[in-house]
Amino acid sequence: MHRRNILWVALSAFGAALATSRAGAASEAAPAAKLKVVYHLSDLDKVNFVIGNIQNHLDGVGGSEHVTIALVVHGQALRAFHSASASPDLSKRVGQFSKAGLELAACGNTMKSQNVALKDLLPGFVAAERGGVVRIAELQSQGYLYLRP
């Protein structure tokens, strides 16, 4: 009876060691997938807050090489990104985001309602021709996590 217990303990320990070894090898072999996030911005009073969140996000993960970020802007928030009236700080940050590879999408419907073209917005924006909410849904279907601060 005693031999069976010793054999059982030995086999259990061997199995646990093997499972731990395989788990360690699997985690070393497969690097973590690059996180994809879409920020949704429609409130004019939240523009600086959201821009700050995006900067904090980039800083927190070590830069744009570790995360893919898209910003989709529609509604009253788009007014903050009109190049003629944008603050110098916002212009600078949007330029940095664009250079870092962030997608900056302006809702095509909002652009029409505000009577603005891409040339009227800060550099780096693309038009979400079918609408901001459609673009958000497309990004979510591609695995982007949705954030609306």
Side-chain angles (χ1 to χ4, degrees):
M1 191 67 143
H2 188 308
R3 285 184 182 168
R4 254 190 245 156
N5 287 340
I6 292 173
L7 182 60
W8 176 249
V9 169
L11 286 174
S12 296
F14 178 73
L18 184 61
T20 302
S21 170
R22 285 187 176 168
S27 66
E28 289 173 10
K34 188 174 177 181
L35 192 63
K36 300 184 292 186
V37 179
V38 56
Y39 281 84
H40 179 181
L41 176 59
S42 63
D43 300 321
L44 183 59
D45 62 336
K46 290 188 178 180
V47 169
N48 290 326
F49 180 71
V50 171
I51 295 299
N53 273 226
I54 292 171
Q55 187 62 60
N56 290 342
H57 197 146
L58 290 168
D59 294 345
V61 299
S64 60
E65 60 273 5
H66 301 288
V67 64
T68 300
I69 296 179
L71 171 63
V72 179
V73 183
H74 68 100
Q76 291 302 309
L78 190 62
R79 292 192 184 284
F81 299 93
H82 291 198
S83 57
S85 59
S87 73
D89 183 56
L90 183 61
S91 298
K92 177 183 171 189
R93 286 180 153 193
V94 167
Q96 291 169 338
F97 291 164
S98 180
K99 287 178 186 170
L102 275 67
E103 176 184 323
L104 305 167
C107 173
N109 298 323
T110 301
M111 290 172 62
K112 287 176 191 167
S113 72
Q114 292 181 6
N115 198 27
V116 296
L118 275 178
K119 66 178 177 51
D120 301 320
L121 297 175
L122 293 173
F125 271 90
V126 297
E129 295 294 339
R130 298 188 310 154
V133 293
V134 172
R135 183 63 186 141
I136 290 168
E138 290 170 347
L139 291 168
Q140 285 183 293
S141 74
Q142 296 169 20
Y144 280 69
L145 301 174
Y146 174 79
L147 293 176
R148 184 169 184 169

